[in-house]
Amino acid sequence: MIGVVQKLKEVAAIFKPYFMNRGSYQKNRLLFAGFIISNLLGAFAIAAIYAYMSTFMGLLALPLLTYEMFFASLADFLGVLAIYGATQAANYFCTQKLIQSLTDSLNKDLSDAWLKNHAYYGIKLGNPKDTPDVNKVLTDDTSDVVFYS
């Protein structure tokens, strides 16, 4: 358990700068809040689904079940089920947008740090005149595949 807590602290330390009060990261805070709220609403919706499903099953056992009772109970159950689906869609949206935003921000910061520290020392950029002809390379590769197949 201590190892898990330590790993969570390490992950929190890495991502903490991307949730601070810098103006460009306000979207990250909103997406994270949306993620938390959609999960909480989803949990309440699951409890409501259980309650409405129990009510619906109880109504089916009644000897004098009317169409009105049946469809009213079914509508309640399906309504809560639709709310649960909406919370899961919101959860997915917030999660995907947050993952993309954090990935882009982290990649940019790591790339900037890499370039600032001159970690690329020894790498020489190629001369544009030495760039191979893409059409020739693709043609040669295709002919090799056909020849060796």
Side-chain angles (χ1 to χ4, degrees), residues 37-54:
I37 290 170
S38 65
N39 277 314
L40 289 174
L41 291 175
F44 287 123
I46 288 174
I49 287 171
Y50 175 75
Y52 282 116
M53 188 58 145
S54 296

Side-chain angles (χ1 to χ4, degrees), residues 9-79:
K9 286 181 180 179
E10 291 174 7
V11 169
I14 291 171
F15 287 109
K16 186 177 180 180
Y18 303 104
F19 290 99
M20 299 308 290
N21 287 328
R22 293 193 274 181
S24 60
Y25 295 122
Q26 183 176 3
K27 183 175 87 171
N28 291 350
R29 289 190 305 275
L30 291 174
L31 288 171
F32 188 70
F35 168 74
I36 296 296
I37 290 170
S38 65
N39 277 314
L40 289 174
L41 291 175
F44 287 123
I46 288 174
I49 287 171
Y50 175 75
Y52 282 116
M53 188 58 145
S54 296
T55 303
F56 182 68
M57 290 298 166
L59 280 175
L60 292 178
L62 290 177
L64 298 173
L65 179 64
T66 63
Y67 285 119
E68 182 181 352
M69 291 186 332
F70 175 79
F71 286 115
S73 179
L74 184 63
D76 290 341
F77 169 69
L78 292 177

Side-chain angles (χ1 to χ4, degrees), residues 2-149:
I2 294 174
V4 172
V5 172
Q6 183 63 28
K7 290 293 181 188
L8 285 175
K9 286 181 180 179
E10 291 174 7
V11 169
I14 291 171
F15 287 109
K16 186 177 180 180
Y18 303 104
F19 290 99
M20 299 308 290
N21 287 328
R22 293 193 274 181
S24 60
Y25 295 122
Q26 183 176 3
K27 183 175 87 171
N28 291 350
R29 289 190 305 275
L30 291 174
L31 288 171
F32 188 70
F35 168 74
I36 296 296
I37 290 170
S38 65
N39 277 314
L40 289 174
L41 291 175
F44 287 123
I46 288 174
I49 287 171
Y50 175 75
Y52 282 116
M53 188 58 145
S54 296
T55 303
F56 182 68
M57 290 298 166
L59 280 175
L60 292 178
L62 290 177
L64 298 173
L65 179 64
T66 63
Y67 285 119
E68 182 181 352
M69 291 186 332
F70 175 79
F71 286 115
S73 179
L74 184 63
D76 290 341
F77 169 69
L78 292 177
V80 173
L81 196 61
I83 290 171
Y84 177 71
T87 61
Q88 292 308 300
N91 185 0
Y92 179 78
F93 173 79
C94 290
T95 303
Q96 293 303 314
K97 289 292 186 180
L98 186 61
I99 288 170
Q100 186 65 43
S101 176
L102 291 176
T103 301
D104 292 345
S105 300
L106 191 59
N107 284 340
K108 183 183 180 311
D109 288 350
L110 290 176
S111 298
D112 290 346
W114 184 71
L115 290 172
K116 188 173 24 169
N117 291 332
H118 302 290
Y120 55 88
Y121 179 76
I123 295 177
K124 294 181 182 178
L125 297 177
N127 186 356
K129 294 179 182 176
D130 296 336
T131 304
D133 182 22
V134 177
N135 290 330
K136 184 178 182 319
V137 171
L138 289 175
T139 304
D140 291 345
D141 289 347
T142 306
S143 64
D144 287 346
V145 167
V146 171
F147 179 74
Y148 291 114
S149 295

